Amino acid sequence: PRRTRVHHLQEMKARGERWPMLTAYDVNTARIFDEAGVPVLLVGDSAGNTVLGYDTTVPVTTEELLVLTRAVVRGAPRALVVADLPFGSYQVSVEQAVTTAVEFMKSAGAHAVKLEGGAHYADRIRAVVDAGIPVMAHLGFTPQSEHALGGYRVQGRGDDGAEKLLADARAVTEAGAFAVVLEMVPAHVAKRVTAEVPIPTVGIGAGPECDAQVLVWTDMAGLSDPARRTPRFVKRYAEMGSVLADAASTYAQEVREGTFPGPEHSFD
Ligand code: KIV
Ligand code: NA
């Protein structure tokens, strides 16, 4: 099978073809999403919430994401695998950003990296791109900065907000990013950014006019803890949580009753 490449995404934008991205954190989801035809998989630092059980993405480490990235790469023969650079692994300096990005490529086999930030991080983006590593940027609500942003809030509202978002989108494009995630921004602002920058925009809570969309797979498949509030921008396409709960409780019941294992599961 042919691997999705960065230039394919650019070509899809030129043709006006929308494409989906999903997060993946392990080999089975990577294989399933790849076979389902999802061309780009993101090993998001949302793993901090969805896999590791932290309240935020702030504590996630490079080591943790390297392990998950290796698993996703092994499971996905076709998808372009993008690895999130975790908080603290690129903020310190341009040099740190390149070192971390190189590690994801070299030791985990990622095909691209993603980092959060606009004009202020253009120097990091430029340096990583110069190292031969495709970079996906991430603007709007950037979860690694949630304490600075005052929690989960829509970004880019009002004239100033929209202008700043546009300026950031231009800056990351200029720095060489191959795509840009727009998280929780008004639909009309995302539409404007999509029209004005030549690179694909990947929306999450950014309306229908982006070139691409991304969702966290555990949200979209209904595996996330139902006690946690599901954001407005999530659509649940399945109820994996109840499917798994039913399987686990039926298994538990059959073990207790002595109906599992049956003769067909046993050796002579
Ligand atoms: O970590 C993540 O899952 C992300 C996407 C929501 C864009 O950054
Ligand atoms: Na992320």
Side-chain angles (χ1 to χ4, degrees), residues 250-265:
T250 306
Y251 162 71
Q253 190 191 335
E254 292 192 359
V255 169
R256 290 189 183 108
E257 286 171 345
T259 53
F260 176 83
E264 72 275 31
H265 308 115

Side-chain angles (χ1 to χ4, degrees), residues 96-230:
Q96 188 202 28
V98 177
T99 303
T100 306
V102 165
E103 200 173 0
F104 275 95
M105 304 299 280
K106 252 181 113 137
S107 95
H111 309 122
V113 300
K114 178 166 82 58
L115 58 83
E116 297 181 5
H120 287 105
Y121 281 87
D123 55 352
R124 270 89 164 162
I125 294 172
R126 167 58 62 202
V128 174
V129 169
D130 282 348
I133 301 169
V135 176
M136 180 178 280
H138 185 156
L139 302 174
F141 179 70
T142 45
Q144 293 177 9
S145 313
E146 79 157 78
H147 298 295
L149 295 173
Y152 273 71
R153 302 165 70 164
V154 175
Q155 304 292 311
R157 278 206 165 123
D159 288 348
D160 289 355
E163 286 311 320
K164 177 169 187 308
L165 196 75
L166 260 166
D168 281 332
R170 288 194 197 103
V172 300
T173 303
E174 186 63 32
F178 73 92
V180 56
V181 170
L182 303 177
E183 180 162 353
M184 284 176 75
V185 308
H188 71 274
V189 178
K191 180 182 178 179
R192 234 183 111 192
V193 174
T194 302
E196 291 197 21
V197 299
I199 60 173
T201 58
V202 187
I204 176 163
E209 306 286 351
C210 295
D211 299 300
Q213 295 289 328
V214 58
L215 284 176
V216 169
W217 92 259
T218 48
D219 290 341
M220 114 32 235
L223 186 64
S224 307
D225 184 351
R228 293 176 69 104
R229 202 172 138 267
T230 311

Side-chain angles (χ1 to χ4, degrees), residues 23 42-47 57 84-85 114 116 138 143-144 183:
T23 65
L42 171 69
V43 187
D45 65 350
S46 52
T57 60
D84 239 349
L85 303 188
K114 178 166 82 58
E116 297 181 5
H138 185 156
Q144 293 177 9
E183 180 162 353

Side-chain angles (χ1 to χ4, degrees), residues 50-137:
T50 62
V51 176
L52 302 172
Y54 299 126
D55 281 337
T56 72
T57 60
V58 170
V60 176
T61 67
T62 297
E63 267 318 311
E64 286 165 341
L65 286 193
L66 284 171
V67 171
L68 304 184
T69 302
R70 289 186 193 109
V72 169
V73 168
R74 288 184 200 116
R78 283 175 302 198
L80 179 89
V81 177
V82 182
D84 239 349
L85 303 188
F87 180 62
S89 76
Y90 61 94
Q91 282 84 355
V92 175
S93 65
V94 169
E95 194 181 313
Q96 188 202 28
V98 177
T99 303
T100 306
V102 165
E103 200 173 0
F104 275 95
M105 304 299 280
K106 252 181 113 137
S107 95
H111 309 122
V113 300
K114 178 166 82 58
L115 58 83
E116 297 181 5
H120 287 105
Y121 281 87
D123 55 352
R124 270 89 164 162
I125 294 172
R126 167 58 62 202
V128 174
V129 169
D130 282 348
I133 301 169
V135 176
M136 180 178 280

